[in-house]
Amino acid sequence: MRITCIAFALVLAATAQGAAVPNSHVVHEKRESPPSKWVKREKISSSYVLPMRIGLKQRNLDRGHSFLMDVSHPDSPNYAKHWTPEEVIEMFSPTEKTVDAVKEWLIDFGINSDRITHSDNQGWIAFDATTEEAENLLHTEYHIYEHSSTGHVTPACDSYHVPKHIREHVDYITPGIRLLSATKRGGTRPPTKTLPGYFPWSEEGELATCDKAITPACKYALTKQKYPFGKPRSDNSLGIYEEGDYYAQEDLDLFFANFTPYIPHGTHPSPAFIDGAEAPTDTANAGGESDLDFELAYPLIYPQTITLYQTDDLYYATNLNVTSGSFNTLLDALDGSYCTYSAYGETGDDPNLDPVYPDPTPGGYKGKLQCGIYKPTNVISISYGGQESDLPAYYQQRQCNEFMKLGLQGHSIFFASGDDGVAGPPGDDSSNGCLGDNSTIFSPAWPNSCPWVTNVGATKVYPGRTVFEPESAVVDPEGQPYSIAFSSGGGFSNIYPQPDYQKAAVAAFFEKHNPPYPYYEGNSSFGANGGIYNRIGRGYPDVAANGDNIATYNQGNYSSSGGTSASTPIFASIVNRINELRLNTGKNPIGFMNPALYSNPWMLNDITNGTNPGCGTVGFSAVPGWDPVTGLGTPNYPKMLAFFLTLP
């Protein structure tokens, strides 16, 4: 929930809570200091009602890795034998002991049982409480925090406490210490120039200028594909996620007319609109992200279809800058078990950071939060994200578990790795987007560091080079050609350890191409001995694709754009094409593909040139084998297709 102006007016100064924390309680979450753009404001009125949500510890999450490897590793006898949603719920729901212990704690405190609801996926307990009740329950103080750039305000505390015997049963509680600020991954990058409104379509002419503009013919040559053909299946649409950014049909039609005349005028994504979302928009308001995603994907998959997961009504999607609202409204709509409104009238989303429906604002979506209304497509491309430092580990881990569950069910989730090299966006945690007192520590991205998604970095055809020569990692200094710098996001998580499937590849990187930087080992030793990255964290990206100088039509003009938001739908489209052929032979979709990629890197084009600078360094280097700049490399469609068709 975002506090509206009316609600904000109810936030008044309250008296400080004087009771000391009893010895029976321990700190469950604590924030040392807020991210630099969040400002702590006044205390919240003691009578203000907070929608409290307690995330319960789920069972068997420690077995999630082995479960997912069992259906994802090509050497497993159960490869592609994906689980049903019901099997996932049954395996991971909290124990009765956990549910009973938390309910008993609340009732003993004075929260009547009729105020407490339990979600249908068993993962959440919800109740409304006044600020005074919540502060006394958790031995904390709630203040308003305001984001200095967006003006977004949210209630939060610096820390909170739970009884010692309850801690083992609780993941995290909201409102709590979370402060969230996430962004699009490129796509809206200011173009270098506006070009003529018509580009004569000629494959030969395009291939001669791929170092200046990546067109569909360039993409085919880079990935070694042929034009799509055949009758499309109805059960294999490519999913693309958008929030607060909208395509214009006129832009798509201009692109088709100039580059892909075999795609009919009027071709558009199938709507999967979530919680009042709408699309398309008029040309003047067309978003660079959405136009780019569709203009990249359609030439690679047509006549296959695209499903647009457009989330949230206009008020939430734009006015309150929830454009990357932790992806929870998307996950709610795809997985009813993730969403608690479906049976109990409350949500497992963060009620202070995610949209709340019905939306009371004028013109807002008046329906309930939509839960489990869409079956997830086999492949979903997501070009949005933030940094690990934007929010606590509990929140990220809980969401990461959902991506693991989607992988168990056979869905491939692709994320753009970010556009700021080893740093975050400038001004996020510091002026240069880096961490630590001196702003020198690399800032890993979220949810990219989750081990159960596939991260896509960016490459480019350097000036004077051709599509028949090896690509390089994107390194675009400010003004060359974009008005802001761009390099492929990559690095090592401060939250997740290296998953088994990538340990050998990461070890080889360190052995043969050891970076010249001091490091620390684990977040508990963050920055120790001058270390600027976590040597034992999950490495990303996993793969890469071209993401620079992309020819696009936006707001009626032909221009160039770039970002890992471009490389992600390219890689996702290729996997969608492979799934089509697997399905045609009676096989299941690939699902989570990282184990297959890391154990068979030969099917990708290794990238060995370029870096991803940031934090006063040149970043990491693209080298033979896996690296935290371009991962294992770019797609080689014939090799990937041949390999995945051999699997059961």
Side-chain angles (χ1 to χ4, degrees):
M1 171 183 173
R2 307 285 181 167
I3 295 184
T4 64
C5 293
I6 295 176
F8 188 78
L10 298 175
V11 179
L12 304 174
T15 58
Q17 189 176 319
V21 178
N23 292 332
S24 59
H25 285 57
V26 293
V27 173
H28 193 63
E29 286 191 280
K30 181 179 180 180
R31 184 194 316 104
E32 298 300 331
S33 61
S36 60
K37 286 200 171 186
W38 288 94
V39 180
K40 186 177 181 179
R41 300 299 190 189
E42 61 265 44
K43 271 182 53 62
I44 300 178
S45 167
S46 61
S47 61
Y48 187 76
V49 176
L50 297 171
M52 305 301 297
R53 301 294 184 265
I54 300 177
L56 303 176
K57 291 282 188 182
Q58 300 181 42
R59 289 183 302 132
N60 298 317
L61 290 176
D62 58 327
R63 302 172 64 189
H65 171 269
S66 60
F67 291 150
L68 190 53
M69 294 305 99
D70 187 47
V71 299
S72 303
H73 199 287
D75 295 337
S76 170
N78 292 318
Y79 179 80
K81 295 180 180 179
H82 302 125
W83 294 24
T84 66
E86 293 74 20
E87 289 173 328
V88 170
I89 293 174
E90 175 62 27
M91 179 58 68
F92 296 106
S93 61
T95 64
E96 289 186 18
K97 178 181 177 181
T98 287
V99 176
D100 292 344
V102 173
K103 284 186 175 180
E104 183 179 353
W105 165 48
L106 296 176
I107 292 171
D108 287 347
F109 173 79
I111 306 295
N112 293 334
S113 59
D114 58 2
R115 293 170 58 186
I116 302 171
T117 54
H118 188 199
S119 66
D120 60 345
N121 74 337
Q122 310 301 305
W124 290 87
I125 282 180
F127 60 97
D128 291 342
T130 65
T131 302
E132 182 178 18
E133 285 180 309
E135 289 182 336
N136 288 329
L137 174 69
L138 302 175
H139 298 278
T140 189
E141 288 186 352
Y142 282 101
H143 287 253
I144 286 296
Y145 282 80
E146 181 178 4
H147 195 276
S148 59
S149 294
T150 67
H152 168 61
V153 292
T154 186
C157 56
D158 294 328
S159 65
Y160 63 88
H161 303 75
V162 298
K164 293 177 182 177
H165 73 283
I166 290 297
R167 189 175 190 183
E168 65 178 302
H169 299 296
V170 172
D171 266 350
Y172 64 88
I173 298 174
T174 67
I177 70 170
R178 277 181 275 167
L179 300 170
L180 183 62
S181 177
T183 57
K184 301 178 183 69
R185 300 294 199 197
T188 53
R189 187 170 304 284
T192 57
K193 52 189 174 298
T194 299
L195 303 173
Y198 180 78
F199 189 102
W201 188 82
S202 163
E203 181 175 355
E204 181 179 359
E206 291 180 59
L207 291 181
T209 59
C210 292
D211 60 332
K212 299 179 178 63
I214 296 293
T215 64
C218 300
K219 285 177 282 182
Y220 281 120
L222 287 167
T223 57
K224 299 178 173 58
Q225 294 186 82
K226 296 181 179 179
Y227 295 113
F229 63 91
K231 184 178 180 180
R233 298 180 63 95
S234 61
D235 57 353
N236 191 45
S237 184
L238 171 66
I240 292 181
Y241 167 92
E242 304 290 351
E243 167 96 40
D245 192 279
Y246 308 91
Y247 80 94
Q249 186 63 50
E250 293 85 349
D251 286 335
L252 300 193
D253 289 339
L254 275 170
F255 187 89
F256 299 151
N258 286 292
F259 292 111
T260 56
Y262 54 88
I263 299 180
H265 178 95
T267 299
H268 63 275
S270 301
F273 295 156
I274 299 168
D275 300 324
E278 297 180 359
T281 188
D282 57 78
T283 307
N285 293 304
E289 180 67 65
S290 297
D291 277 355
L292 180 68
D293 286 343
F294 300 129
E295 291 168 8
L296 283 165
Y298 265 120
L300 295 175
I301 68 166
Y302 187 83
Q304 293 178 22
T305 61
I306 294 176
T307 295
L308 166 58
Y309 294 112
Q310 187 87 45
T311 56
D312 296 311
D313 66 22
L314 187 64
Y315 176 73
Y316 279 117
T318 58
N319 291 354
L320 290 178
N321 193 37
V322 293
T323 55
S324 299
S326 68
F327 313 106
N328 277 344
T329 49
L330 169 69
L331 294 173
D332 291 335
L334 298 183
D335 179 3
S337 73
Y338 188 76
C339 174
T340 59
Y341 258 115
S342 55
Y344 296 94
E346 89 279 355
T347 176
D349 296 350
D350 183 328
N352 302 289
L353 295 176
D354 294 317
V356 170
Y357 297 107
D359 180 357
T361 60
Y365 170 66
K366 303 306 180 185
K368 285 188 174 184
L369 187 76
Q370 293 180 312
C371 299
I373 61 171
Y374 297 116
K375 180 180 179 181
T377 53
N378 298 323
V379 176
I380 300 178
S381 174
I382 302 176
S383 295
Y384 298 70
Q387 305 304 115
E388 281 187 345
S389 57
D390 286 337
L391 66 172
Y394 283 117
Y395 184 84
Q396 298 175 64
Q397 290 166 325
R398 191 172 185 86
Q399 191 174 83
C400 183
N401 290 336
E402 179 65 12
F403 293 126
M404 178 266 290
K405 295 173 185 178
L406 288 173
L408 274 173
Q409 297 170 65
H411 306 291
S412 304
I413 312 297
F414 292 88
F415 273 95
S417 71
D419 301 343
D420 299 285
V422 296
D428 187 12
D429 287 281
S430 62
S431 60
N432 64 354
C434 302
L435 307 177
D437 294 339
N438 298 319
S439 301
T440 56
I441 300 176
F442 298 171
S443 177
W446 155 82
N448 308 83
S449 56
C450 173
W452 317 130
V453 302
T454 302
N455 290 278
V456 188
T459 57
K460 68 178 294 183
V461 177
Y462 274 24
R465 300 286 185 172
T466 73
V467 291
F468 305 107
E469 299 173 90
E471 293 180 85
S472 298
V474 172
V475 185
D476 288 344
E478 182 179 347
Q480 302 179 35
Y482 306 105
S483 59
I484 54 178
F486 165 38
S487 59
S488 181
F492 297 90
S493 172
N494 283 325
I495 295 176
Y496 304 99
Q498 292 163 17
D500 289 345
Y501 63 75
Q502 75 164 187
K503 283 184 175 179
V506 175
F509 169 74
F510 286 132
E511 178 184 357
K512 299 176 182 178
H513 311 284
N514 194 32
Y517 310 125
Y519 58 86
Y520 52 94
E521 294 188 337
N523 199 37
S524 60
S525 62
F526 179 82
N529 302 314
I532 61 175
Y533 73 96
N534 180 19
R535 182 85 162 194
I536 62 175
R538 187 268 208 256
Y540 74 97
D542 302 297
V543 294
N546 192 281
D548 203 23
N549 292 326
I550 306 295
T552 181
Y553 277 90
N554 179 235
Q555 298 184 355
N557 295 312
Y558 171 44
S559 60
S560 61
S561 185
T564 52
S565 62
S567 51
T568 304
I570 291 176
F571 206 102
S573 296
I574 290 168
V575 176
N576 209 71
R577 287 188 64 175
I578 295 172
N579 276 340
E580 185 94 351
L581 296 176
R582 279 183 58 86
L583 290 166
N584 286 341
T585 60
K587 298 180 179 182
N588 288 333
I590 294 170
F592 180 57
M593 67 186 311
N594 289 13
L597 294 172
Y598 278 88
S599 59
N600 296 274
W602 53 266
M603 67 176 113
L604 301 169
N605 306 311
D606 195 8
I607 305 300
T608 60
N609 182 56
T611 61
N612 56 354
C615 305
T617 74
V618 297
F620 298 109
S621 297
V623 296
W626 178 88
D627 54 69
V629 185
T630 59
L632 297 167
T634 61
N636 185 309
Y637 176 72
K639 289 183 178 180
M640 292 177 65
L641 177 63
F643 173 77
F644 284 108
L645 287 183
T646 65
L647 298 180

